[in-house]
């Protein structure tokens, strides 16, 4: 593991849908690099025969009955949206259409 | 007054819920200008709920075990029609269309919501300094942090502005502020309390739990909120255990381990308090044994890869489409980028990017994958230790509450969680109990840990620690 470059941070920011100016890029490159430097302590550990743990419970495939339960009112949900047309969320163009 | 006493008096008609709530609202008005525990004080809602409780009593109905008890909720728990911000600009003004399960259970038990409490944005932090709405102050010293991320919840109970409060704990966010503010804070077993309606940070680690001034109040609060919930698929299907009968059983004959790796991580004043607590447990009949949990030394690294990875996925939902902030753009991509860039604070951005990196092609195995294997090692080490002991003791926080701005280096802040993170990685219950003061007369907490679903043993030991506390 090595410290991150500015280009790598810019790439990760783009993946995370964040826009960083030059000062922010410097700031986050330092911040992320310091954490990853610390994490380098696990580089030398050979854990190949240890299984990964995804979460603490031995639960698998939790099902419920296929029946209509309580639902949240659509109008109440849409009322909290930044933009909507009474039935759906409204967003800016996706594919460059006008 | 103890929570059970408030409820007993209200249920018997010896006091009204409205009178109790007015007393707490007056305390909030006189105190919260200095402390800033609350993002929102829900005075009108509280008085209406209190009137309903009093009406129930008057008409011969039992409002429940928390009748008239004023409570505060961390502002990452959904409350129907009441602002829920996660202390982030990206959710400012959002009013959820539904209640979280914990919110419903508390209301059904007769509790009264007096407000929503401040936190580090999206629960990412250990000082409440990362709130978009300004920090919460420690009621014991306004120049010091209350801890975090549930700093507002801890401070609200410590300052007497709520009889109980509730927070979420992903890496210590209940226990560490409880220790720094001198109150009891409980992280239950993963899955013991429903997370339905808790805005997710790191889903394999998050757990809701109570803050209280006494172990008994915390036990009562946890009994109300614990138990299976079909709306949370990670909820434990078996019934929640009764806790109150455990409190007076004492520790005579129990084997209690002290985790050497964590004991050595504490400042001298904190270590001295923990040693005193161990002495008190020994005097009460417990056998104290030093134990090693070797994998906990890698807990911090595992946590700061796993939690950001899960956060990067969970926080993808904040995209300006369905709720909260939207900053317009020419197309949907630009709108989402502008919204997230304007809406998230620096610490949240850092963790999203760290998690995105840890999950990205070419790095997954070296970072996220390896962290998950470390997690297995922590679980196995705890399982081995619990073959020989009934419960474990460690410091809750390596230090007393620090001064504002004291931990500007991110790693220094992350290390505040070194003693609390292992329980989140393993899914074990753990709680902090006040045990006197350290330097500058600031509170110190002792952490009691137990194996998964070991809440009864944990509360039994915690009650003994509390009985011996100065």
């Amino acid at each position: 593991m090595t410290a991150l470059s500015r280009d790598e941070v810019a790439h990760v920011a783009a993946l995370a849908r964040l826009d960083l100016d030059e000062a922010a890029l410097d700031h986050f490159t330092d911040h992320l690099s310091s954490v990853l430097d610390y994490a380098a302590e696990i580089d030398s550990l050979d854990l190949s025969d240890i299984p990964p743990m995804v979460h603490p419970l031995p639960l698998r495939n939790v099902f419920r009955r296929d029946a209509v339960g309580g639902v949240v009112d659509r109008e109440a949900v849409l009322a909290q949206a930044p933009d909507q047309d009474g039935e759906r969320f409204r967003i800016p163009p996706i594919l460059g259409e006008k | 007054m103890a929570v059970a006493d408030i409820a007993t008096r209200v249920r018997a008609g010896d006091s009204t819920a409205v009178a109790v709530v007015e007393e707490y609202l007056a305390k909030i008005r006189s105190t919260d200008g200095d402390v800033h525990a609350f993002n929102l004080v829900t005075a009108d809602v509280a008085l209406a709920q209190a009137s309903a409780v009093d009406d129930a009593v008057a008409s011969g109905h039992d409002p429940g075990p928390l009748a008239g008890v004023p409570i505060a909720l961390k502002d990452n728990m959904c409350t129907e029609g009441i602002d829920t911000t996660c202390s982030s600009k990206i959710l400012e003004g959002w009013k959820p269309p539904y209640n979280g399960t914990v919110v419903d259970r508390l209301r059904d038990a007769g509790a009264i919501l007096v407000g929503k409490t401040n936190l580090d944005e999206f629960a990412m932090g250990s000082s409440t300094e990362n709130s978009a709405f300004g920090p919460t102050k420690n009621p014991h010293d306004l120049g010091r942090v209350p801890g975090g991320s549930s700093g507002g919840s801890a401070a609200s109970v410590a300052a007497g502005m709520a009889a109980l409060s509730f927070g979420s704990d992903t890496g210590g966010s209940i226990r560490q502020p409880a220790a720094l503010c001198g109150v009891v804070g409980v992280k239950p077993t993963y899955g013991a309390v429903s997370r339905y309606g808790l805005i997710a940070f790191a889903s394999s680690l998050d757990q809701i739990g109570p803050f209280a001034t006494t172990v008994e109040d915390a036990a009562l609060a946890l009994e109300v909120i614990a138990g299976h919930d079909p709306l949370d698929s990670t909820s434990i299907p078996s019934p929640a255990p009764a806790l109150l009968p455990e409190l007076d059983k004492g520790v005579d004959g129990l084997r209690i381990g002290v985790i050497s790796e964590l004991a050595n991580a504490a400042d001298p004043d904190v270590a001295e308090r923990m040693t005193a607590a161990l002495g008190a447990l020994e005097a009460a009949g417990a056998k104290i044994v030093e134990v090693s949990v070797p994998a906990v030394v890698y807990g911090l690294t595992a946590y700061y890869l796993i939690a950001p990875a899960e956060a990067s996925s969970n926080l993808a939902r904040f995209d300006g489409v369905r709720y909260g902030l939207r900053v317009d753009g020419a197309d949907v991509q630009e709108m989402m980028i502008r919204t997230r860039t304007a809406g998230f604070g620096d610490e949240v951005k850092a963790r999203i990017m760290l998690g995105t990196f840890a999950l990205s092609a070419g790095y997954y195995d070296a970072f996220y994958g390896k962290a998950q294997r470390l997690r297995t090692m922590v679980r196995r080490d705890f399982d081995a230790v619990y073959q020989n002991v009934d419960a474990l003791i460690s410091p809750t926080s390596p230090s007393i509450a620090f001064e504002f701005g004291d931990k500007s280096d991110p790693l220094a802040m992350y290390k505040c969680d070194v003693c609390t993170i292992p329980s989140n990685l393993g899914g074990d219950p753990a709680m902090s109990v006040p045990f006197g003061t350290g330097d500058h007369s600031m509170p110190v907490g002792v952490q009691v840990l137990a194996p998964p679903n070991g809440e009864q043993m944990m509360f039994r030991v915690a009650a003994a620690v509390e009985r011996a506390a100065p």
Side-chain angles (χ1 to χ4, degrees), chain B residues 285-358:
Chain B
K287 166 94 174 141
I288 306 295
V289 289
E290 185 161 321
V291 299
S292 176
V293 187
V296 301
V297 300
Y298 299 114
L300 204 64
T301 289
Y303 176 84
Y304 278 99
L305 294 171
I306 290 170
E310 295 185 11
S312 72
S313 171
N314 274 325
L315 272 63
R317 63 169 58 88
F318 300 102
D319 56 10
V321 172
R322 289 154 296 173
Y323 26 65
L325 180 72
R326 174 183 293 186
V327 181
D328 281 325
D331 58 27
V332 75
Q333 178 98 331
E334 188 175 85
M335 180 277 284
M336 288 178 178
I337 292 171
R338 286 183 176 177
T339 298
R340 290 166 62 82
T341 300
F344 290 135
D346 274 0
E347 183 62 29
V348 174
K349 287 176 181 170
R351 298 213 198 178
I352 288 173
M353 288 191 283
L354 190 58
T356 304
F357 176 75

Side-chain angles (χ1 to χ4, degrees), chain A residues 76-87:
Chain A
V77 172
L78 287 173
Q80 293 297 315
D83 195 10
Q84 45 100 8
D85 71 357
E87 292 185 345

Side-chain angles (χ1 to χ4, degrees), chain B residues 128-167:
Chain B
T128 323
E129 290 172 291
N130 293 333
S131 168
F133 309 129
T136 297
K137 317 280 178 58
N138 192 311
H140 297 273
D141 179 346
L142 298 177
R144 292 175 187 273
V145 303
S149 68
S150 312
S153 292
S156 69
V157 168
M161 297 187 283
L164 290 174
S165 67
F166 296 82

Side-chain angles (χ1 to χ4, degrees), chain B residues 27-46:
Chain B
K27 181 70 178 172
I28 291 172
R29 279 193 297 274
S30 68
T31 307
D32 203 44
D34 291 332
V35 175
H36 187 223
F38 289 92
N39 283 345
L40 179 73
V41 178
T42 53
D44 293 343
V45 170

Side-chain angles (χ1 to χ4, degrees), chain B residues 333-405:
Chain B
Q333 178 98 331
E334 188 175 85
M335 180 277 284
M336 288 178 178
I337 292 171
R338 286 183 176 177
T339 298
R340 290 166 62 82
T341 300
F344 290 135
D346 274 0
E347 183 62 29
V348 174
K349 287 176 181 170
R351 298 213 198 178
I352 288 173
M353 288 191 283
L354 190 58
T356 304
F357 176 75
L359 292 172
S360 61
Y363 297 102
Y364 182 100
D365 288 337
F367 290 95
Y368 184 64
K370 209 158 188 181
Q372 287 185 312
R373 293 171 200 274
L374 281 170
R375 200 171 174 182
T376 301
M377 289 177 65
V378 171
R379 178 71 268 149
R380 286 180 178 177
D381 283 358
F382 272 130
D383 286 342
V385 164
Y386 283 123
Q387 296 295 312
N388 297 310
V389 299
D390 298 297
L392 294 168
I393 296 281
S394 84
T396 305
S397 160
S399 75
I400 57 160
F402 45 93
E403 294 177 339
F404 288 99

Side-chain angles (χ1 to χ4, degrees), chain A residues 1-4 8-21 24-25 27-64 70-84 88-97, chain B residues 93-98 189-191 196 204-205 232-237 297-301 304-306 310 320-326 328-333 335-338 340-341 344-347 349-354 356-357 360 363 366-377 379-380 409-411 414-415 424-427:
Chain A
M1 293 179 202
T2 50
L4 285 176
E8 285 173 308
V9 175
H11 173 65
V12 167
L15 291 175
R17 302 292 183 267
L18 294 168
D19 181 29
L20 305 185
D21 62 22
L25 206 46
H27 169 76
F28 287 115
T29 300
D30 286 350
H31 184 145
L32 269 55
S33 293
S34 72
V35 178
L36 293 176
D37 282 350
Y38 184 86
E41 68 171 2
I42 65 171
D43 269 355
S44 58
L45 299 178
D46 179 8
L47 305 177
S48 50
D49 59 346
I50 310 267
M53 175 172 166
V54 177
H55 81 130
L57 292 176
L59 292 173
R60 294 268 186 284
N61 296 337
V62 178
F63 295 115
R64 63 165 175 82
V71 291
V72 178
D73 180 60
R74 181 170 69 180
E75 277 182 31
V77 172
L78 287 173
Q80 293 297 315
D83 195 10
Q84 45 100 8
R88 293 157 295 189
F89 300 112
R90 182 155 45 206
I91 59 172
I94 295 176
L95 299 172
E97 74 272 32
Chain B
W94 180 59
K95 298 182 198 307
Y98 66 101
T189 301
Y190 182 81
Y196 179 72
S204 79
L205 303 162
D232 176 356
S233 63
T234 60
S235 170
I236 295 172
V297 300
Y298 299 114
L300 204 64
T301 289
Y304 278 99
L305 294 171
I306 290 170
E310 295 185 11
V321 172
R322 289 154 296 173
Y323 26 65
L325 180 72
R326 174 183 293 186
D328 281 325
D331 58 27
V332 75
Q333 178 98 331
M335 180 277 284
M336 288 178 178
I337 292 171
R338 286 183 176 177
R340 290 166 62 82
T341 300
F344 290 135
D346 274 0
E347 183 62 29
K349 287 176 181 170
R351 298 213 198 178
I352 288 173
M353 288 191 283
L354 190 58
T356 304
F357 176 75
S360 61
Y363 297 102
F367 290 95
Y368 184 64
K370 209 158 188 181
Q372 287 185 312
R373 293 171 200 274
L374 281 170
R375 200 171 174 182
T376 301
M377 289 177 65
R379 178 71 268 149
R380 286 180 178 177
D409 168 40
L411 274 171
Y414 295 175
K415 286 175 182 173
N424 299 86
L425 292 174

Side-chain angles (χ1 to χ4, degrees), chain B residues 25 31 58 96 158 180 201 205 269 271 285 363 375 424 442 459 466 468:
Chain B
L25 290 174
T31 307
L180 271 47
F201 162 11
L205 303 162
D269 59 330
Y363 297 102
R375 200 171 174 182
N424 299 86
M442 293 303 289
F459 271 88
E466 182 182 58

